[in-house]
Amino acid sequence: MAARERAQPRVWCWPAGDRPALYVYGGGTWKYAPVTARLDHADGRTEYQVTL
């Protein structure tokens, strides 16, 4: 199936100052990561775009 034919994810965005956040582990430490977007895919997957 071509990329254009796949169902596009539903995207949720948050404005600066009102974002949820996650803690991510990398380089041996936990880091605070504000969420800038959430992508809900038709197959049930969820992706989060964060700022590090």
Side-chain angles (χ1 to χ4, degrees):
M1 183 181 303
R4 287 187 207 136
E5 296 173 6
R6 284 188 229 145
Q8 296 298 309
R10 185 171 190 171
V11 178
W12 301 88
C13 297
W14 287 271
D18 193 27
R19 295 178 180 158
L22 302 169
Y23 280 96
V24 295
Y25 189 77
T29 62
W30 286 96
K31 298 174 182 155
Y32 182 81
V35 176
T36 56
R38 173 181 159 171
L39 291 81
D40 294 327
H41 295 272
D43 63 5
R45 291 179 299 125
T46 301
E47 294 180 68
Y48 292 94
Q49 181 177 333
V50 299
T51 303
L52 287 176

